[in-house]
Amino acid sequence: MNIDHNGLRIEYESDGDETAPVVVLTMGLGMQLTAWPTSLVQAIVQAGYRVIRFDNRDIGLSSQLDHLGVPNIGWQLVRSRLGLAVRSPYGLQDMAHDAIGLLDALGVQRAHLVGVSMGGMISQRIAATAPGRVLSLTSVMSSSGAPGLPGPRSDVTRALLKRPRSRRPEHVAAHALNMFRLIGSPAFPQDMPAFEQRVLADAVRSHRPDGVARQLLAVASDTGRHTVLKGITCPTLVLHGTADPLVPIACGRDTAARIPDARFEAIDGMGHDWPPGVATLLARHIVPHIQAAQAGPTTIPT
């Protein structure tokens, strides 16, 4: 399914009763809506919610923005390290407007937001700049973007900037699997046959390397997000793994510290991925959080 918003096509999927309260899941850099674990989606639906997942702009089956050009990632990241402005074709606030436009098209006034990595940043932007649309926020393995926070491990950075051998799905999938091996959760085993099948299916569904580059610049150019987090008023849960080599746990702690009354939960042994054990564990945090926010301010999740 898809909607048109501000000249863009946004691909989405909806699960659960269409009259139920809505939970919007926003995925991270270069990741498609299909990357959300089925077990997490089902846990939220079974708790009585409608779950909406979507492909961010430039990824998956949403609009491809190649007319904006192919950015020089290396040069722009050098500018970022030197404290110079990063030039990006669009920003995370634009991507936040895409999500709000999706809610508008579906007739949803307010929703619970769950965002992972870059999706957490986009969700933070929505909660800070459109508070009337947000019932609760859950920011997972994400960051405030504040200056001075630690960055990815060096080998992860190198892998992030590489591209597959070719655009053939098997090469795209192999490249993605290598990245996931670097950023995976050491304490949680992955179901490799099922995971490899899903990664290959995603490579067949869509491969947008230039879109990933533009999204990466949107993240790098969003240097002021940390200054608006103090304006978030909805119930907020920040979840982060202790073993995350892409977005270190200090980034999650900083995010929670900047959002009034946010609750922070560290997940021992979790990296930057969603193996079955992580998906199950995070559902046990996320579902009570949105249920408490739905019930009102007097309910405290356990």
Side-chain angles (χ1 to χ4, degrees):
M1 297 183 288
N2 59 76
I3 60 101
D4 291 323
H5 164 69
N6 198 28
L8 298 179
R9 183 186 68 255
I10 304 296
E11 184 76 14
Y12 75 95
E13 289 188 8
S14 177
D15 296 274
D17 185 345
E18 292 192 359
T19 64
V22 170
V23 179
V24 175
L25 306 182
T26 305
M27 191 35 83
L29 174 71
M31 301 300 291
Q32 303 178 57
L33 65 83
T34 48
W36 286 101
T38 301
S39 62
L40 176 61
V41 174
Q42 290 176 342
I44 299 173
V45 168
Q46 289 169 4
Y49 295 88
R50 178 187 182 188
V51 174
I52 295 172
R53 298 169 286 162
F54 66 101
D55 287 330
N56 287 304
R57 61 166 65 191
D58 247 351
I59 290 299
L61 304 183
S62 288
S63 285
Q64 184 171 327
L65 303 179
D66 284 347
H67 64 281
L68 297 177
V70 181
N72 185 331
I73 290 294
W75 171 238
Q76 292 301 326
L77 292 183
V78 167
R79 290 179 60 88
S80 177
R81 293 191 187 98
L82 294 174
L84 302 175
V86 173
R87 298 187 178 93
S88 176
Y90 52 78
L92 294 187
Q93 190 66 55
D94 297 310
M95 301 178 78
H97 288 318
D98 294 345
I100 294 171
L102 175 59
L103 293 178
D104 289 342
L106 297 177
V108 177
Q109 180 57 38
R110 302 181 74 194
H112 300 276
L113 306 181
V114 179
V116 58
S117 197
M118 181 188 74
M121 302 172 194
I122 294 169
S123 299
Q124 293 166 24
R125 277 277 173 194
I126 299 171
T129 60
R133 308 302 299 272
V134 183
L135 291 168
S136 74
L137 168 65
T138 303
S139 181
V140 186
M141 59 182 79
S142 192
S143 176
S144 69
L149 289 173
R153 206 170 59 203
S154 59
D155 58 333
V156 173
T157 298
R158 290 193 297 271
L160 187 64
L161 297 178
K162 289 182 179 179
R163 291 200 174 189
R165 289 171 52 195
S166 77
R167 299 181 68 93
R168 292 170 56 182
E170 59 269 31
H171 290 160
V172 173
H175 178 266
L177 287 168
N178 180 63
M179 185 69 186
F180 279 114
R181 290 187 187 99
L182 290 175
I183 65 175
S185 300
F188 297 88
Q190 182 63 269
D191 180 354
M192 287 311 298
F195 186 62
E196 290 171 356
Q197 185 177 22
R198 198 218 81 202
V199 170
L200 181 58
D202 284 352
V204 171
R205 183 176 185 261
S206 177
H207 175 52
R208 303 268 191 87
D210 295 340
V212 176
R214 288 186 288 268
Q215 286 188 352
L216 182 58
L217 286 191
V219 173
S221 66
D222 197 43
T223 56
R225 188 176 65 261
H226 66 287
T227 65
V228 302
L229 297 187
K230 63 181 180 293
I232 294 178
T233 57
C234 66
T236 299
L237 173 64
V238 178
L239 300 170
H240 215 107
T242 61
D244 193 330
L246 179 61
V247 183
I249 192 171
C251 300
R253 294 189 188 278
D254 184 78
T255 300
R258 292 176 184 275
I259 299 174
D261 301 318
R263 185 163 60 92
F264 178 79
E265 295 285 350
I267 310 299
D268 288 338
M270 182 178 99
H272 205 84
D273 67 341
W274 297 82
V278 167
T280 298
L281 186 58
L282 294 188
R284 293 174 184 168
H285 287 286
I286 293 170
V287 170
H289 174 65
I290 61 178
Q291 287 175 326
Q294 189 72 37
T298 60
T299 302
I300 300 174
T302 58

